[in-house]
């Protein structure tokens, strides 16, 4: 478990982390989200002691990281796949990491097999693609067989195949019962693997929730009902004082569940072809909750309008 | 975490970077090559001193290696992996220092042996032999060894303080080859003889067959210069411990 309590970090006069508190619970995949400049990478650096906080505390399994004699057995960290010397061979990079924590050479071979890099282990990492470097990085994370794994943007810059590999790999780690704490801009990926979400903006906690809660609480959630009896359904909804919007033969209703709406239609003998709860995507929900915390925001409405005018 | 584990890790790092290996090789090769050249030119006079002439270049390379051992970690940001895996930064720095001193000590012994071996053949052609019993030989060899070790420590200290390899290399080379000499020269204009207080010149004076009356005795000079360079390492270690990585 990672516990962050009242964490504050300033660079000069700029406060990048502002009284941030959250817990990363054990045995789950927790997504760490926030707009660019929200302070995600800084928080992760603070967690592993690379940066010094101005105030607040961080504990990993109830201890400060500096108290661990072999930190790699407690937490495996990958902050950037490029943090490798380009002329060093992959196997030597991993051996240097392993020996610093008293981990055997045998384990180096095991993790190389696990990430599928055994055949290129004796090649210099400078010649590796980003995807291969990412795998070396993940091999390093697993060297100490840690219960907690923390990854900063592991899918950044990867091609679709690489993203899929990372996703499958993280799912595999989660199924092993490890705590996975992962930051990412790829919200669709986070939605697929995360149990919990921690959303920050401008260094402050916006929400700590689940993917389902975040998306269902977003204002875009509605129930869609499709009927060939347009006029009858409109009349029923109006009589029942239910607000709705209509798009051809589809009615969108907020505040009523599928069962409530279905029952209403059934009672009034209105034929229904489809009844569904439509929740916004994680991306929509994310943009909604972080709209006030975007440091660098571009308005897309202008080019969307230009695009429609062009059509 | 045991210091030995970190030393093992730092040893792997040192010997698996191409530029460091090339630098160690150059230090050995150039020392032997220039030693032989100087010996050929000087026709047998003071053979031991001549054979070690290449040390002037090798010591610069050892200082550069000292800068690189920490500077490259910052340049490629591998220091973040290092400190994430071992948050005890002082232990990491101490392990690096141990590895550096061991590697340079080993290289210095090799450097002396290779230079003597090269010189042996040159001297044989010239009709001379190396007289190891000549007065001052032991003093000279101890001095050569100390210069190699402590210049690398000076480089390491500069690397710790600056954390940038290029800037560190420039500063250490300027210090060794220019700055102290210029200041000594300026002071001499005013008839101030303070050469012994300049740590690098003082250290360099230990690698001579005969003691220089204007400098400290060899043990004192090594102790004085070594203390200053190690104090700079301590300053660098303190800065690294207190700064964000």
């Amino acid at each position: 478990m990672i516990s962050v309590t009242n964490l504050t970090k300033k660079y000069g006069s700029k406060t990048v982390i502002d009284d941030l508190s959250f817990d990363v619970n054990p045995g789950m995949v927790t997504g760490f989200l926030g707009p660019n400049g929200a302070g995600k990478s800084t928080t992760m650096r603070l967690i592993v002691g690379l940066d010094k906080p101005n105030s607040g505390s961080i504990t990993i399994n109830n201890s400060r990281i500096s108290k661990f004699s072999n930190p790699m057995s407690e937490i495996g960290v990958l902050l950037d796949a490029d943090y490798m010397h380009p002329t060093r061979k992959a196997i030597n990079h991993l051996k240097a990491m392993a020996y610093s924590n008293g981990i055997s050479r045998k384990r180096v071979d095991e993790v190389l097999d696990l990430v599928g890099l055994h055949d290129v282990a004796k090649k210099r990492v400078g010649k590796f693609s980003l995807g291969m470097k990412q795998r070396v990085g993940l091999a390093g994370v697993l060297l100490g067989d840690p219960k907690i794994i923390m990854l900063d943007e592991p899918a950044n810059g990867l091609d679709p195949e690489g993203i899929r590999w990372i996703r499958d790999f993280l799912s595999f780690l989660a199924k092993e019962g490890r705590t996975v704490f992962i930051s990412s801009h790829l919200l669709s990926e986070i939605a697929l693997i995360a149990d919990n979400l921690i959303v920050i903006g401008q260094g402050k906690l916006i929400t700590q929730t689940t993917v389902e809660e975040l998306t269902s609480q977003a204002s875009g959630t509605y129930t869609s009902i499709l009927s060939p009896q347009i006029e009858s359904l409109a009349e029923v909804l109006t009589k029942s004082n239910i607000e709705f919007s209509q798009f051809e033969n589809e009615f969108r209703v907020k505040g009523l569940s599928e069962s409530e709406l279905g029952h209403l239609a059934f009672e009034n003998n209105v034929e229904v072809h489809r009844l569904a709860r439509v929740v916004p995507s994680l991306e929509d929900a994310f943009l909604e909750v972080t709209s006030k915390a975007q440091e660098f925001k571009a308005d897309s409405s202008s080019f969307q309008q230009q695009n429609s005018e062009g059509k | 975490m045991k210091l030995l584990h970190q030393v093992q890790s730092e040893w792997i790092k040192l010997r698996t970077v191409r530029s460091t290996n090339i630098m160690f090789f150059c230090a050995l090769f150039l020392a032997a090559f220039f030693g032989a050249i100087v010996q050929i030119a000087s026709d047998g006079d003071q053979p031991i001193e001549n054979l070690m002439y290449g040390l002037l270049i090798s010591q610069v390379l050892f200082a550069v290696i000292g800068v690189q051992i920490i500077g490259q970690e910052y340049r490629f940001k591998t220091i973040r992996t290092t400190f994430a895996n071992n948050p005890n930064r002082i232990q990491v720095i101490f392990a690096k220092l141990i590895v550096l001193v061991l590697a340079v000590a080993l290289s210095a012994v090799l450097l002396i042996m290779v230079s003597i071996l090269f010189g042996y053949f040159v001297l044989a052609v010239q009709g001379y032999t190396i007289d190891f019993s000549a007065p001052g030989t032991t003093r000279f060899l101890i001095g050569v060894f100390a210069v190699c070790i402590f210049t690398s420590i000076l480089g390491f200290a500069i690397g710790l303080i600056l954390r940038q390899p290029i800037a560190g290399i420039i500063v250490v080379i300027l210090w060794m080859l220019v700055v102290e000499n210029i200041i000594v020269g300026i002071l001499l204009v005013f008839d101030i003889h303070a050469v012994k207080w300049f740590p690098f010149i003082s250290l360099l004076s230990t690698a001579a067959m005969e003691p220089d009356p204007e400098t400290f005795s060899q043990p004192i000079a090594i102790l004085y210069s070594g203390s200053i360079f190690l104090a700079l390492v301590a300053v660098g270690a303190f800065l690294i411990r207190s700064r964000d990585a």
Side-chain angles (χ1 to χ4, degrees):
Chain A
M1 179 175 180
I2 302 172
S3 289
V4 172
T5 311
N6 303 119
L7 193 67
T8 297
K9 174 68 181 171
K10 295 178 180 178
Y11 291 121
S13 59
K14 188 177 182 188
T15 303
V16 288
I17 302 295
D18 190 0
D19 198 29
L20 183 64
S21 298
F22 62 80
D23 290 327
V24 178
N25 296 316
M28 290 181 180
V29 179
T30 301
F32 193 33
L33 306 180
N36 281 337
K40 302 186 294 297
S41 297
T42 304
T43 304
M44 287 189 159
R45 286 201 305 274
L46 287 162
I47 287 171
V48 288
L50 292 176
D51 287 6
K52 313 279 181 186
N54 293 82
S55 61
S57 67
I58 299 156
T59 58
I60 295 165
N61 293 336
N62 299 319
S63 285
R64 289 171 61 189
I65 192 164
S66 56
K67 300 287 177 197
F68 295 124
S69 56
N70 294 315
M72 290 171 75
S73 304
E74 299 291 332
I75 181 168
V77 185
L78 178 60
L79 297 177
D80 193 317
D82 267 333
Y83 292 169
M84 296 177 203
H85 197 291
T87 67
R88 191 172 283 139
K89 292 170 185 170
I91 193 162
N92 289 329
H93 171 80
L94 294 172
K95 275 161 72 178
M97 285 177 76
Y99 292 170
S100 73
N101 276 241
I103 298 164
S104 70
R105 161 69 202 263
K106 191 180 159 206
R107 178 65 183 159
V108 173
D109 290 329
E110 283 173 11
V111 293
L112 278 166
D113 283 337
L114 202 61
V115 299
L117 284 181
H118 205 272
D119 292 344
V120 292
K122 291 185 177 170
K123 290 196 171 167
R124 298 183 195 282
V125 291
K127 293 181 178 171
F128 282 10
S129 67
L130 183 59
M132 288 166 82
K133 284 182 188 170
Q134 206 71 268
R135 288 182 190 220
V136 177
L138 285 169
V141 164
L142 295 174
L143 276 171
D145 197 17
K147 283 274 173 270
I148 301 174
I149 287 165
M150 188 170 80
L151 312 169
D152 192 7
E153 302 279 0
N156 221 6
L158 293 183
D159 58 17
E161 191 189 345
I163 291 172
R164 186 173 196 154
W165 185 86
I166 288 275
R167 186 208 304 153
D168 292 345
F169 194 71
L170 292 177
S171 299
F172 160 74
L173 296 176
K175 278 177 192 161
E176 286 191 325
R178 298 178 204 263
T179 302
V180 180
F181 185 44
I182 171 177
S183 81
S184 180
H185 283 115
L186 299 174
L187 300 174
S188 54
E189 295 302 319
I190 289 282
L192 286 172
I193 57 170
D195 306 301
N196 277 322
L197 294 177
I198 293 167
V199 185
I200 65 168
Q202 293 182 345
K204 293 178 182 172
L205 182 71
I206 294 176
T207 182
Q208 179 161 8
T209 181
T210 62
V211 176
E212 292 74 27
E213 273 177 18
L214 183 67
T215 50
S216 63
Q217 283 166 8
S219 59
T221 305
Y222 62 89
T223 304
S224 166
I225 181 166
L226 215 69
S227 171
Q229 295 172 262
I230 297 170
E231 287 173 7
S232 304
L233 183 57
E235 194 183 325
V236 168
L237 292 172
T238 310
K239 268 187 186 172
S240 308
N241 288 325
I242 296 169
E243 284 185 29
F244 64 93
S245 51
Q246 188 185 345
F247 299 88
E248 298 180 352
N249 61 340
E250 183 199 6
F251 291 77
R252 293 180 182 178
V253 179
K254 286 187 177 177
L256 277 186
S257 66
E258 304 98 297
S259 55
E260 289 168 331
L261 206 52
H263 186 70
L264 188 68
F266 175 74
E267 276 189 331
N268 291 278
N269 292 319
V270 175
E271 186 180 345
V272 172
H273 285 182
R274 191 186 75 186
L275 194 57
R277 180 100 169 141
V278 178
V279 292
S281 67
L282 179 59
E283 185 177 61
D284 294 330
F286 169 79
L287 290 172
E288 189 178 320
V289 297
T290 61
S291 59
K292 287 179 185 169
Q294 296 268 6
E295 191 179 20
F296 308 106
K297 189 160 60 175
D299 185 6
S300 62
S301 60
S302 56
F303 63 73
Q304 280 174 351
Q305 195 177 349
Q306 278 181 12
N307 199 24
S308 62
E309 283 169 2
K311 283 178 184 172
Chain B
M1 183 176 304
K2 294 179 178 69
L3 178 64
L4 193 63
H5 289 152
Q6 195 60 44
V7 169
Q8 227 181 335
S9 170
E10 295 303 329
W11 176 248
I12 294 269
K13 284 190 210 167
L14 182 78
R15 70 173 180 76
T16 57
V17 170
R18 194 162 46 189
S19 59
T20 315
N21 289 334
I22 291 171
M23 215 104 61
F24 272 115
F25 176 76
C26 287
L28 290 178
F29 176 77
L30 291 175
F33 178 74
F34 279 95
I37 294 284
V38 169
Q39 180 56 40
I40 290 166
S42 60
D43 196 23
D45 186 35
Q46 288 186 313
I48 284 283
E49 272 196 316
N50 290 339
L51 291 177
M52 298 295 153
Y53 201 80
L55 166 75
L56 288 173
I57 295 166
S58 298
Q59 68 186 2
V60 174
L61 293 177
F62 286 137
V64 170
I65 290 168
V67 175
Q68 294 274 63
I69 197 171
I70 183 74
Q72 288 220 353
E73 286 245 44
Y74 276 94
R75 183 182 169 203
F76 295 106
K77 295 185 179 172
T78 52
I79 197 73
R80 290 184 173 172
T81 307
T82 301
F83 286 155
N85 295 337
N86 182 2
N88 186 343
R89 297 184 184 186
I90 297 299
Q91 192 178 67
V92 171
I93 291 165
F94 193 46
K96 280 185 184 295
L97 182 63
I98 290 171
V99 166
L100 176 70
V101 169
L102 286 176
V104 172
L106 190 68
S107 301
V109 170
L110 274 173
L111 179 151
I112 291 167
M113 287 169 64
V114 170
S115 297
I116 289 172
L117 196 68
F118 257 59
Y120 178 82
F121 293 108
V122 173
L123 285 163
V125 172
Q126 291 175 325
Y128 297 102
T129 55
I130 302 173
D131 180 11
F132 288 105
S133 63
T137 301
T138 307
R139 178 188 196 279
F140 176 72
L141 291 177
I142 289 171
V144 167
F145 189 76
V147 168
C148 291
I149 300 288
F150 285 105
T151 49
S152 71
I153 292 175
L154 171 64
F156 184 57
I158 301 294
L160 286 172
I161 292 167
L162 295 181
R163 303 190 302 173
Q164 292 178 2
I166 305 297
I169 289 166
I170 291 170
V171 167
V172 82
I173 289 175
L174 285 176
W175 180 327
M176 291 167 67
L177 304 182
V178 182
V179 176
E180 285 196 6
N181 288 307
I182 286 178
I183 297 171
V184 167
I186 292 169
L187 291 175
L188 279 176
V189 171
F190 298 102
D191 204 25
I192 301 170
H193 296 261
V195 66
K196 65 182 177 184
W197 298 108
F198 289 85
F200 181 69
I201 294 177
S202 188
L203 178 67
L204 208 56
S205 72
T206 64
M209 301 287 276
E210 290 173 14
D212 181 347
E214 285 202 17
T215 59
F216 292 122
S217 67
Q218 190 183 52
I220 299 293
I222 291 172
L223 202 66
Y224 170 72
S225 303
S227 302
I228 289 178
F229 297 160
L230 285 171
L232 286 174
V233 169
V235 170
F238 172 77
L239 290 173
I240 288 216
R241 197 180 69 161
S242 55
R243 287 167 172 169
D244 292 337

